[in-house]
Amino acid sequence: FYVNDAVTTGDVYSLAGGSVTNHGISPLRPMPDVQRVISTYDLEPGDTIYVDTGVYTNATPIDISALDAGAYTSNLLVTLQGSTNVAAGGTVIQAASQPGIRFTQAGGIALRNLRVANASVGVTLSESDGCRFENVVLDRCDVGVQLAKATDTQFRRCVIRESTVAGVQASQATGARFENGILWSNALFA
């Protein structure tokens, strides 16, 4: 699946601008936002949503539920893959003081090469097991990441910075690992 903003400057995956009239299953016909893909299609383990270079301002959080979860026990994840073109700004999810991305009973989800900025909570995992974060930046959120009854969450090469309440909040979360990452200038807690 393919998501792109209106322009192709600096893009890695899409060959056209995103549009609500596009089907999102080809780089020539990307959708304009992640939630539209999730709402339109039934994602299955092994599926990837390629989110191209650009800033995506969300009016509502990106919600991923059990219906679109991966199968982390067999390592078949559902992946949100951001742009690897950091020089052009990468992929930025602007959440405008609301949650950026919410996983609810959605295990086996991977986020890669994304930046979530200015959210009340950058990413929330509720009863979501075996999720993976790689090269994710949670930037200037009230809370960077919130883990509630989430197990086996892995963060690799991630940055959680300038959170005004906490970088990480965890409640009944077990097995979380943070490898080769940075927690920087967060208020109160990690």
Side-chain angles (χ1 to χ4, degrees):
F1 301 98
Y2 296 87
V3 171
N4 198 11
D5 58 6
V7 297
T8 58
T9 305
D11 283 353
V12 176
Y13 311 116
S14 298
L15 301 172
S19 171
V20 296
T21 61
N22 288 347
H23 52 62
I25 58 176
S26 155
L28 293 169
R29 304 280 308 273
M31 289 185 158
D33 63 81
V34 173
Q35 190 61 52
R36 188 173 300 276
V37 172
I38 294 168
S39 298
T40 302
Y41 297 104
D42 177 19
L43 300 179
E44 298 296 330
D47 283 345
T48 300
I49 301 173
Y50 295 97
V51 188
D52 226 323
T53 306
V55 176
Y56 300 84
T57 302
N58 291 350
T60 60
I62 296 170
D63 281 312
I64 304 172
S65 71
L67 296 174
D68 294 307
Y72 83 95
T73 55
S74 59
N75 208 27
L76 286 172
L77 308 179
V78 169
T79 302
L80 274 67
Q81 173 68 51
S83 171
T84 56
N85 190 351
V86 179
T91 300
V92 180
I93 308 294
Q94 281 284 9
S97 299
Q98 63 186 353
I101 302 172
R102 288 190 295 219
F103 301 167
T104 306
Q105 297 178 340
I109 305 293
L111 299 182
R112 294 189 177 117
N113 301 304
L114 294 171
R115 184 172 138 215
V116 179
N118 303 316
S120 58
V121 179
V123 179
T124 299
L125 290 86
S126 177
E127 299 180 56
S128 299
D129 300 332
C131 294
R132 309 287 183 258
F133 297 78
E134 296 177 12
N135 302 315
V136 172
V137 176
L138 302 171
D139 193 16
R140 296 183 317 274
C141 301
D142 294 339
V143 175
V145 64
Q146 189 173 62
L147 305 171
K149 296 182 183 177
T151 62
D152 192 29
T153 306
Q154 296 179 16
F155 299 88
R156 292 187 181 121
R157 298 175 306 279
C158 294
V159 176
I160 302 174
R161 67 179 178 206
E162 300 183 56
S163 301
T164 58
V165 175
V168 178
Q169 280 185 341
S171 171
Q172 299 179 16
T174 59
R177 291 192 320 228
F178 200 86
E179 301 172 3
N180 303 314
I182 298 171
L183 297 170
W184 172 49
S185 194
N186 296 298
L188 301 178
F189 307 104

